[in-house]
Amino acid sequence: MTTRISPGLTGVPTDVDVVVIGLGITGAGVALDAASRGLSVLAVDAHDLAFGTSRWSSKLVHGGLRYLAAGQVGVAHESAVERGILLEVTAPHLTHAMATLVPLNDAVTRLQTGVIRGGLLGGDLLRQGARTSKATLPRPRRISATEALQLAPPLRRAGLRGAMLGWDGQLEDDARLVTTVARTAAGQGAHVRTRARVLDATGTRVRLRDELTGATTEVTARAVVNAAGVWAADLVDEIRLRPSRGTHLVLREESVPGLRAAVYAPVPGETNRFVLVLPQPDGVAYVGLTDEPVDGPVPDVPEPTEPEIGFLLDVVSAAFEKPLHRSDVVGAYAGLRPLLDAGAGRTSDLSRRHAVLTSRTGVVTIVGGKLTTYRRMAEDAVDAAVAHARLDADPCRTRTLPLLGAADRATLAGLEQPVRLVRRYGTDAGLVLETAREVTHLTDAELLAPVAEGVPATLAELVFGITHEGAADVSDLLDRRTRVGLVPADRVPAVHAAERALALAAARL
Ligand SMILES: Cc1cc2nc3c(=O)[nH]c(=O)nc-3n(C[C@H](O)[C@H](O)[C@H](O)COP(=O)(O)OP(=O)(O)OC[C@H]3O[C@@H](n4cnc5c(N)ncnc54)[C@H](O)[C@@H]3O)c2cc1C
């Protein structure tokens, strides 16, 4: 039972068409795009799949409304198109429509109500322009206070006149999307390696270090794509980035009881800025997010600050009946946006459009953008690499190439496997369970039980993370293949299950 995603550099080819540096969503997307065009690919990450920014997102598949508001019509349209592709073609198993609600209370003037309504109607035009069906994302409408409170019971009641209800896309989990894209790339023939750091690169060669053994090696390539996110400038000195930090809080659902829609809580004193309260699977909700410029060296794992946590709690407390307290916060995380430095101005104003830049030595860097647009970013990067290196490659296929486990929603709904596995692996849910049975010889009851009280991840998922998704240690399993680690108090009792999965798999691999 082998996986083509594995840690270290043992057995990697020494010459390929394309080397991809970084296995966040961008690098995983580039690996898939290049491999599915018939190119030989080696894609590496210094740490693990989704180690960087890609696991710290809001987990939204954006329609691009905020870009529309900023006058960036092209970026907004591109986002809406890619959202539709994910929801309807490539990843229906990992995405779903999410109701979004902007409360209209006495703090919101009639003029602001008009602006919010106009924005949502603009968002619906984007949906139509992207040809995404209204069965997938229904039209926005104004709802009564009673209906608003049914969808979001924690809302402050006093002065509530109703709400504007819209729809956007939500991911099951960002790291799961990265893992699935990387596994799909491996399925197309890409060599996908974690714990493999690129020490330096030119357009035709990379020097790599196996982070398990310390051994270094060189690989030659026709093209090298740098998808190292906020670390991209470490490898190509022509790149200038101006990262900005975004922080989220993690709350238990008891702190926001009954929440069934995302709430956009307006930031007092600002016309077009909101803090989002986002219900999630597995009994938690996120509150985010901030936008703080970051100077100095880029840390491996950014940390939220107390002022950011206080700001998020204050904005939501103003919109909710019961104020939130620091004790409601059971986890917090921060991510760095890899924004291109465009000189002066607030980081929130820097363009979210991606850029493809070819260095003097021929390294193609792809940077910026967002999770939602990873497919288009990958297409543009591989197009640039193919043109620069004059590669003999097929046209891009990813617009219609389903990720592993994808199927239409009716098929997914009809699957017999446990709902949790279908939500996270789609039609591969059966493969996950079958693999875990074969590897462990345990009963389904043991494989599908929550790994600890109140922690719904299962042993079956952990085993599959090792056999098929390249997980090599407890952290890979609890912080990226599953997201148990987002609540530190849940992570502690789950460590035993992760160690057990590693021992069971080691005995069979
Ligand atoms: C707080 C926040 C919220 C966001 N929310 C959303 C959202 O809801 N929806 C959305 O669409 N977008 C969102 N985004 C944007 C999106 O998350 C990012 O644009 C995207 O994840 C960037 O992915 P990436 O692959 O380019 O970078 P990363 O995910 O950071 O990946 C880079 C990888 O390169 C590796 N690496 C670095 N140096 C080397 C080296 N020398 N050798 C080998 N590997 C190396 C790192 O280990 C890392 O895994 C959000 C961003 C932030 C910060």
Side-chain angles (χ1 to χ4, degrees):
M1 197 167 303
T2 54
T3 162
R4 297 184 73 136
I5 305 179
S6 52
L9 286 166
T10 308
V12 292
T14 52
D15 181 61
V16 289
D17 290 325
V18 185
V19 167
V20 183
I21 308 169
L23 285 164
I25 192 61
T26 309
V30 172
L32 173 57
D33 188 293
S36 61
R37 294 193 199 198
L39 297 170
S40 63
V41 175
L42 171 64
V44 297
D45 199 282
H47 301 275
D48 184 26
L49 307 178
F51 182 84
T53 303
S54 298
R55 67 175 152 142
W56 304 128
S57 80
S58 308
K59 306 183 199 289
L60 294 174
V61 190
H62 283 298
L65 188 53
R66 59 170 290 205
Y67 313 111
L68 193 63
Q72 300 174 6
V73 180
V75 185
H77 175 69
E78 183 177 281
S79 223
V81 168
E82 296 301 325
R83 174 184 65 179
I85 291 173
L86 277 161
L87 282 163
E88 294 185 339
V89 183
T90 56
H93 55 323
L94 301 178
T95 56
H96 50 260
M98 179 186 64
T100 64
L101 197 151
V102 188
L104 303 174
N105 55 31
D106 44 14
V108 182
T109 62
R110 300 261 165 212
L111 179 67
Q112 279 172 317
T113 306
V115 171
I116 293 165
R117 180 196 289 272
L120 285 177
L121 291 176
D124 197 52
L125 285 176
L126 281 175
R127 174 192 65 76
Q128 290 175 44
R131 300 187 189 289
T132 305
S133 147
K134 63 178 187 298
T136 303
L137 292 173
R139 290 213 161 112
R141 62 189 171 91
R142 186 171 173 154
I143 57 174
S144 68
T146 310
E147 208 180 330
L149 286 167
Q150 277 163 1
L151 287 168
L155 282 179
R156 184 158 64 82
R157 281 140 205 265
L160 189 68
R161 291 183 274 123
M164 290 303 302
L165 176 68
W167 295 84
D168 211 342
Q170 187 179 33
L171 285 166
E172 165 67 23
D173 177 43
D174 44 15
R176 183 115 302 274
L177 178 70
V178 176
T179 303
T180 309
V181 174
R183 200 158 73 81
T184 308
Q188 294 284 325
H191 296 266
V192 179
R193 295 301 180 107
T194 60
R195 309 296 197 277
R197 178 179 293 276
V198 173
L199 299 173
D200 48 71
T202 70
T204 53
R205 178 199 62 81
V206 291
R207 201 160 59 87
L208 294 144
R209 184 172 68 214
D210 183 322
E211 298 289 47
L212 298 176
T213 64
T216 57
T217 185
E218 266 198 23
V219 172
T220 53
R222 247 61 68 221
V224 172
V225 179
N226 172 17
V230 274
W231 297 276
D234 296 351
L235 294 163
V236 176
D237 50 18
E238 292 113 300
I239 304 286
R240 292 273 173 279
L241 296 180
R242 187 151 175 242
S244 93
R245 188 178 56 243
T247 286
H248 288 86
L249 313 178
V250 185
L251 312 177
R252 299 242 190 243
E253 64 186 4
E254 297 88 271
S255 295
V256 286
L259 191 66
R260 290 194 288 128
V263 171
Y264 281 54
V267 176
E270 300 218 24
T271 42
N272 190 26
R273 198 171 162 214
F274 300 89
V275 166
L276 278 57
V277 188
L278 300 159
Q280 301 292 317
D282 295 349
V284 292
Y286 302 153
V287 176
L289 77 171
T290 57
D291 198 327
E292 298 288 328
V294 176
D295 297 314
V298 176
D300 275 358
V301 178
E303 294 290 337
T305 63
E306 280 302 321
E308 287 176 292
I309 294 173
F311 162 79
L312 294 170
L313 287 175
D314 286 350
V315 174
V316 177
S317 293
F320 279 11
E321 185 76 14
K322 218 167 91 342
L324 293 172
H325 300 291
R326 187 66 178 80
S327 55
D328 289 301
V329 179
V330 292
Y333 63 86
L336 300 179
R337 299 176 186 83
L339 303 179
L340 274 180
D341 192 351
R346 285 177 20 162
T347 47
S348 55
D349 297 331
L350 291 182
S351 171
R352 263 46 169 179
R353 179 149 177 77
H354 62 272
V356 180
L357 308 154
T358 305
S359 76
R360 280 186 302 276
T361 71
V363 176
V364 174
T365 296
I366 169 81
V367 75
K370 47 199 166 291
L371 281 156
T372 308
T373 54
Y374 82 91
R375 193 209 61 79
R376 178 60 196 270
M377 294 168 68
E379 178 179 347
D380 290 352
V382 177
D383 278 349
V386 164
H388 181 78
R390 297 204 175 88
L391 295 174
D392 182 16
D394 295 339
C396 175
R397 290 175 50 205
T398 53
R399 194 177 269 263
T400 54
L401 181 71
L403 300 183
L404 287 180
D408 60 69
R409 291 183 193 279
T411 305
L412 291 168
L415 292 175
E416 286 169 0
Q417 277 79 26
V419 173
R420 178 182 168 83
L421 295 188
V422 173
R423 238 178 52 208
R424 300 178 62 76
Y425 305 90
T427 58
D428 274 347
L431 175 68
V432 173
L433 189 53
E434 195 49 49
T435 304
R437 284 182 191 135
E438 269 179 41
V439 169
T440 66
H441 300 297
L442 294 173
T443 62
D444 285 6
E446 284 174 285
L447 291 170
L448 295 172
V451 291
E453 200 188 328
V455 185
T458 63
L459 192 61
E461 292 162 67
L462 299 178
V463 170
F464 190 76
I466 303 160
T467 57
H468 285 68
E469 298 175 343
D473 65 16
V474 169
S475 181
D476 293 352
L477 288 172
L478 297 185
D479 299 327
R480 290 171 290 276
R481 299 307 174 280
T482 66
R483 305 309 301 280
V484 174
L486 285 174
V487 179
D490 289 351
R491 195 182 189 281
V492 177
V495 166
H496 173 69
E499 288 172 346
R500 188 174 177 213
L502 286 161
L504 287 164
R508 284 299 304 273
L509 289 177

